[in-house]
Amino acid sequence: MSDSQQRANNATIVKRLLLTVAGMFAFGFALVPLYDVFCEVTGFNGRTKNEAVAAVHQEVDTSRTVTVQFITRNAKGIPWKFEPSVKQVKVHPGEVRVVNFLAGNPTGGDMVAQAIPSVAPAEASLYLNKVECFCFNQQPLAAGDDTEMPMQFYLDPEIPAHITTLTLSYTLYDMTADATAETLAQLQSSE
Amino acid sequence: MSTVVDDIHHEEHHDHKPSGITRWLFTTNHKDIGSLYLWFSLIMFFIGGAMAMVIRAELFQPGLQLVEPNFFNQMTTVHGLIMVFGAVMPAFTGLANWMIPMMIGAPDMALPRMNNWSFWILPFGFAILLSSLFLEGGGPNFGWTFYAPLSTTYSNDSTALFVFSMHILGISSIMGAINVIVTIMNMRAPGMNYMKMPLFVWTWLITAFLLIAVMPVLAGAVTMVLTDKYFGTSFFDAAGGGDPVMFQHIFWFFGHPEVYIMILPSFGIISAIIPAFTRKRLFGYASMVYATASIAILSFLVWAHHMFTTGMPVFAELFFMYCTMLIAVPTGVKVFNWVATMWRGAMTFETPMLFALAFVILFTIGGFSGLMLAITPVDFQYHDTYFVVAHFHYVLVTGAVFSIMAAAYYWLPKWTGHMYDETLAKLHFWTSLISVNVLFFPMHFAGLAGMPRRIPDYSVQFADVNQITSIGGFAFGLSQLIFLWLAIKCVRGGEKAAAKPWEGAEGLEWTVPSPAPYHTFEKPPKVE
Ligand code: HEM
Ligand SMILES: [Cu+2]
C-alpha cells in the first residue's frame, strides 16, 4: 500500500470512528427521553401517570381487596407539615376513593411546593389511576396557612392478583424559586 | 505462528533520536509515548496507593482517629478514580503503544501526532483532579461512581473540576482508542491477517471498540451532573421531573463495559506469556478471539447487576442475573484454554510466568465472587458491603494489575535491553502475592458479616479482620517499592538482553534486537 493511499484509508476510518463517538455521546443524552418512555410503558420505576384519568364507570371487583398505603416525606429545605389524613385504605379494584392530604406552611414567608409521587412495587404504578391529584400542580401556601389537598383514585381491575398491598409515596419539594405565573397569581389572590 | 523477518539490520543505521526534554514533549514515536504512558501510570499507581494507605490507616482500628470523615470519603473517591483512569487504563495504553506496532510489523502508530496529544493532556486532567483536593471544601467525595444526588445536590463546590478532569481523561482514552483501531486495521504487515494477530492485539482491538462506545456516554453523564449542579437542569432531580435512578442506569451502561476495558488487555497479555513459558502453542486461539468478542458484546447487557437493590421489577432482576451469569461462560473458556496450554507443557517459572499463574488463579477467585454477587437474592445482602470490595480488588489488583506486572517483566528486556534483577523480581512477586491475599481475602468475610463499604468507622466486631487487612495493605504497598527500584535499576543497566531472551516466546517483537531500536519495521517484515 502506498503512503498516500494509507493516509486516505486512515482518514476514512478516523472519520467513521469520530462519527461513532459523536453518536454515542448523543446516545447518552437520548437515554434520558428513552428512559422516560420506557418507564411509562413498563411502570419500571414506580412513577405514576402525571395526568388525570377520567373516572369511567368501572365494574367494581368486590371479590378482591387491595391495601393502599400512603407515605409522605419532605425533601431537603422545606419545613412544611405534610401528611395523609389516613395511613392506609382498603379498596376493591375499580372502586373510586378520595384521600385527603394535609399541608401547612409554618414559615414566615409565602412558599410554593410540589409533591412528586412514586409507587412501590413499581409494577403497581401501571394500575393506579388518579382522577384528581394535588401532585399534578404546584401548591402555593401563604405564610402560616394550612390546606387540605384531595387525591382521588381507583385501581384498574386488571391489577395482577399477586399485588395485595401497594405504597404510594409523595416527596414534597420546595418550588418557590421555580413557581409558575399561575401559582403566583393564586398566592396573591389568597392574601 | 511462525514469522520470518528479512533484513532487520539496515534499521540500526538511522537510529537517531532527539535528546533533552523536547524529545519527550514533542515526540511522536510510539516507543517514547509508550514509555511516557507507563511511567505516568506507575506514578499514578503510587499516588493512588498512598491514598489507599490513608484509608487502611484510618480503618486499622474502629473509631475515628486520623482523618475527618469528609476527607476519608475524598480518599476513597480519588483512590478509585486514580487507579481506574490513571493507573490501569494508561498502563494498558502504554503497553499498546509499545507493543502493537511491533507485534503487527508496523513502523509506528497510525496517527502519531494525535498519539502525542492523547498522552500529554492526561497529566493536566489529573493535575486538575488532584488540585481539587486542596481547595476549600475539598475534592470529590461521592465515590468513583459519583451517584446523583451525591454528586449534584450534595456535592461540594469543586465538582466542576472533577467534571472537567473526567472530560479530559475521556478525550485522551478516545483518542488512544481511535489510534489503536486505525493502526490495527490499516498498518498490519503483509500477511498479518486478522487470525494471525497475537491475542494482545486482538483483545486491544476489541477493548478500543468498547472505549469508543462507552467513554462518550461517561462524558454525557458527567456533563449532565455539571448542568444539574450549576445550570438548573434536572436530569437526576425528581423535583424537576428527573430521576436519580436514571443516573445509575447511564453510569453503569458505561461502567460495566469499563470493567471489561480493564481486563480484556490482561487476557491478551496472559495469552502471550503462558505459551512462552510452557513452550507450547496457545490452546484454542480462535476460541479465545470469539470468547473475547462475546464478553465484549455481553458486557452491554448486564449493567443493572450493579442496581439489583434499586427496586427493579422481578423480570428485570432475572434478565440481568442470567445475562451476568452468561458472561462466566466465555470467561471460563479462557481459563480453560490457559490451563489446557499448560497441560504437559515444559514449564519454567520466571517472574512473568509467576505473575501470569497468580493471575489465572486469583482472577478466577474474583470471577467466582462475581458469580455470587450476580445471584440477585443474595446480592441484597452483599451489595455495598466489603464483599463487593473484595470482588473487584481480586479482578482488578490480582487481575489487571498483576497482568500489567507480568507484562512489564516479560517485555522489560525488550524495552531496556537489560535483563531485570531476577532475585528482586522474585522477592517482589512473593511479597506481593502473600500480602495481596492478606489484604483482600479477609474482606470477603467482613462483607459477608455485614460490614458496609465506604465508611471511616465500623462496629467493634470487625476490628480484627480490619487490622489484618490493614497490615496486608501496608505490606502490599511497600512491596511495590521493590518494583520501582527494580524498574529504575533495569533501565540503567544490567545483564545484556538477547533479542529473544525467553526461549519459548513467539511474535515479531522478538525478531528485532534488544533494546528495540528507535525505529522498527520501517520496511514491513514478511509474515508467513
Ligand atoms: C465472572 C465475571 C464477573 C461477574 C459475574 C461480576 C459480577 C459483579 C456484580 C454482580 C457486581 C455488583 C455487586 C454489587 O454492587 O452488589 C460487581 C461489581 C463490580 N465488579 Fe464484577 N463481575 C465480574 C467480573 C469483573 C471484572 C473482570 C471486573 C474488572 C476487571 C469487575 C469489576 C467490578 C467492579 C469494579 C465492581 C464494583 C463497582 C462499584 O460498585 O464500585 N468485575 N461485579
Ligand atoms: Cu458489572
Side-chain angles (χ1 to χ4, degrees):
Chain A
M1 200 164 19
S2 78
D3 239 24
S4 61
Q5 197 187 343
Q6 174 134 38
R7 225 167 276 149
N9 283 353
N10 287 358
T12 329
I13 304 179
V14 172
K15 237 178 265 158
R16 285 193 197 143
L17 292 174
L18 284 176
L19 274 179
T20 317
V21 169
M24 288 310 293
F25 188 69
F27 176 73
F29 285 88
L31 283 174
V32 178
L34 283 175
Y35 180 77
D36 281 344
V37 172
F38 183 75
C39 290
E40 214 160 282
V41 175
T42 60
F44 193 75
N45 216 23
R47 281 200 246 181
T48 58
K49 283 169 223 126
N50 212 11
E51 58 207 34
V53 179
V56 284
H57 182 74
Q58 292 268 4
E59 202 66 32
V60 177
D61 179 0
T62 48
S63 68
R64 286 178 60 200
T65 314
V66 179
T67 307
V68 181
Q69 307 176 318
F70 305 102
I71 297 179
T72 57
R73 210 187 125 234
N74 289 14
K76 195 182 162 192
I78 177 159
W80 285 23
K81 186 186 83 175
F82 176 45
E83 56 196 32
S85 57
V86 287
K87 293 273 179 242
Q88 63 175 45
V89 295
K90 290 187 188 303
V91 296
H92 300 305
E95 174 193 357
V96 179
R97 270 297 178 96
V98 181
V99 174
N100 281 322
F101 284 68
L102 314 172
N105 175 4
T107 67
D110 300 350
M111 286 181 79
V112 176
Q114 183 157 11
I116 305 287
S118 164
V119 174
E123 193 187 358
S125 64
L126 292 176
Y127 304 95
L128 178 75
N129 293 316
K130 293 182 190 151
V131 180
E132 189 193 349
C133 181
F134 54 90
C135 61
F136 297 153
N137 298 306
Q138 295 186 342
Q139 175 66 47
L141 269 187
D145 265 9
D146 285 299
T147 186
E148 232 174 50
M149 308 182 294
M151 196 274 289
Q152 192 178 20
F153 74 98
Y154 66 89
L155 297 180
D156 191 320
E158 301 281 293
I159 188 165
H162 66 262
I163 301 179
T164 54
T165 304
L166 67 92
T167 309
L168 174 56
S169 104
Y170 284 104
T171 307
L172 193 70
Y173 288 93
D174 182 359
M175 301 292 265
T176 312
D178 307 295
T180 58
E182 205 182 323
T183 329
L184 287 176
Q186 256 175 289
L187 249 184
Q188 255 122 42
S189 65
S190 74
E191 264 164 19
Chain B
M1 183 180 56
S2 62
T3 48
V4 175
V5 177
D6 59 338
D7 184 25
I8 44 176
H9 293 285
H10 78 281
E11 285 171 354
E12 282 161 63
H13 299 304
H14 52 120
D15 194 28
H16 30 242
K17 48 191 157 201
S19 56
I21 179 83
T22 49
R23 163 177 171 196
W24 299 104
L25 275 179
F26 301 124
T27 182
T28 55
N29 178 285
H30 73 102
K31 300 186 182 80
D32 280 354
I33 293 174
S35 304
L36 285 171
Y37 266 111
L38 289 169
W39 280 113
F40 178 78
S41 130
L42 192 61
I43 293 167
M44 284 293 139
F45 183 59
F46 282 107
I47 294 177
M51 294 174 182
M53 296 300 104
V54 174
I55 295 169
R56 282 325 314 173
E58 176 59 49
L59 293 175
F60 190 70
Q61 282 176 15
L64 294 175
Q65 29 259 333
L66 295 175
V67 295
E68 297 278 306
N70 185 34
F71 187 71
F72 182 90
N73 290 345
Q74 291 170 42
M75 287 292 102
T76 53
T77 305
V78 183
H79 162 74
L81 291 169
I82 296 252
M83 287 308 195
V84 168
F85 296 103
V88 172
M89 290 169 68
F92 283 140
T93 315
L95 291 171
N97 264 295
W98 250 105
M99 303 317 300
I100 288 177
M102 290 210 289
M103 285 176 160
I104 61 174
D108 204 314
M109 296 292 277
L111 311 159
R113 248 174 270 172
M114 189 170 83
N115 209 5
N116 174 290
W117 273 99
S118 51
F119 174 76
W120 275 112
I121 62 175
L122 264 188
F124 292 97
F126 281 97
I128 292 173
L129 180 65
L130 288 170
S131 67
S132 72
L133 286 171
F134 299 99
L135 296 180
E136 214 180 300
N141 58 4
F142 29 69
W144 81 280
T145 51
F146 61 103
Y147 279 13
L150 293 178
S151 56
T152 52
T153 317
Y154 301 102
S155 64
N156 54 34
D157 296 337
S158 70
T159 305
L161 295 182
F162 158 78
V163 170
F164 295 143
S165 67
M166 296 310 282
H167 279 144
I168 295 175
L169 314 186
I171 291 170
S172 162
S173 307
I174 289 171
M175 292 201 294
I178 290 179
N179 221 336
V180 166
I181 295 175
V182 180
T183 307
I184 297 174
M185 290 178 66
N186 229 4
M187 311 257 301
R188 278 167 291 122
M192 175 63 77
N193 56 33
Y194 281 107
M195 287 318 262
K196 272 191 193 160
M197 295 193 314
L199 268 168
F200 180 71
V201 180
W202 253 117
T203 52
W204 237 113
L205 180 63
I206 292 168
T207 302
F209 276 110
L210 284 180
L211 279 165
I212 299 272
V214 299
M215 291 312 280
V217 177
L218 173 70
V222 290
T223 308
M224 290 181 218
V225 164
L226 184 79
T227 59
D228 265 18
K229 185 163 174 65
Y230 297 97
F231 302 109
T233 57
S234 14
F235 289 108
F236 309 128
D237 183 4
D243 187 339
V245 175
M246 184 179 69
F247 173 86
Q248 297 185 30
H249 284 290
I250 297 178
F251 179 82
W252 287 115
F253 182 83
F254 147 81
H256 188 82
E258 167 68 17
V259 308
Y260 283 99
I261 286 167
M262 293 189 284
I263 204 69
L264 294 183
S266 305
F267 293 166
I269 293 165
I270 301 304
S271 304
I273 292 176
I274 288 183
F277 295 94
T278 309
R279 291 159 185 82
K280 272 177 65 189
R281 285 171 52 146
L282 181 72
F283 183 87
Y285 171 88
S287 70
M288 286 295 216
V289 173
Y290 297 129
T292 311
S294 26
I295 291 174
I297 291 164
L298 281 173
S299 75
F300 287 102
L301 298 176
V302 300
W303 77 89
H305 64 213
H306 298 273
M307 303 172 55
F308 284 144
T309 58
T310 54
M312 285 189 292
V314 175
F315 170 78
E317 306 257 0
L318 291 177
F319 173 82
F320 287 110
M321 172 168 102
Y322 290 130
C323 282
T324 303
M325 292 187 163
L326 211 57
I327 292 203
V329 176
T331 313
V333 167
K334 290 190 167 279
V335 175
F336 179 87
N337 285 349
W338 291 323
V339 175
T341 306
M342 288 186 267
W343 179 251
R344 297 202 168 152
M347 288 208 276
T348 51
F349 300 95
E350 289 88 341
T351 310
M353 182 62 166
L354 290 177
F355 271 101
L357 288 173
F359 172 97
V360 174
I361 296 165
L362 299 176
F363 171 76
T364 305
I365 292 180
F368 281 138
S369 58
L371 275 176
M372 289 173 69
L373 290 166
I375 304 168
T376 309
V378 301
D379 184 65
F380 275 70
Q381 183 190 336
Y382 305 157
H383 179 64
D384 259 346
T385 69
Y386 262 83
F387 193 81
V388 179
V389 181
H391 159 65
F392 67 71
H393 282 95
Y394 266 87
V395 285
L396 282 171
V397 178
T398 59
V401 173
F402 268 34
S403 78
I404 292 165
M405 292 293 175
Y409 285 114
Y410 186 55
W411 284 307
L412 261 176
K414 182 56 59 190
W415 299 335
T416 65
H418 306 126
M419 294 309 284
Y420 56 82
D421 182 332
E422 189 70 39
T423 323
L424 271 184
K426 290 258 160 64
L427 183 70
H428 174 227
F429 171 74
W430 287 108
T431 50
S432 297
L433 180 75
I434 294 165
S435 60
V436 86
N437 283 294
V438 176
L439 166 58
F440 294 123
F441 209 79
M443 285 185 183
H444 290 113
F445 304 121
L448 291 176
M451 178 167 162
R453 62 189 281 209
R454 291 175 172 156
I455 41 120
D457 186 9
Y458 48 85
S459 68
V460 286
Q461 81 258 30
F462 303 124
D464 292 349
V465 98
N466 273 288
Q467 211 154 65
I468 297 169
T469 297
S470 285
I471 291 169
F474 301 141
F476 185 71
L478 286 176
S479 310
Q480 303 323 303
L481 295 174
I482 304 174
F483 178 75
L484 180 65
W485 181 22
L486 175 146
I488 293 172
K489 211 175 137 186
C490 183
V491 171
R492 306 185 62 174
E495 187 195 326
K496 188 103 193 55
K500 191 173 120 175
W502 314 116
E503 186 197 337
E506 291 264 3
L508 288 176
E509 75 263 35
W510 307 111
T511 61
V512 302
S514 299
Y518 201 55
H519 299 286
T520 40
F521 299 128
E522 292 193 300
K523 197 161 152 244
K526 278 220 179 64
V527 183
E528 275 171 16

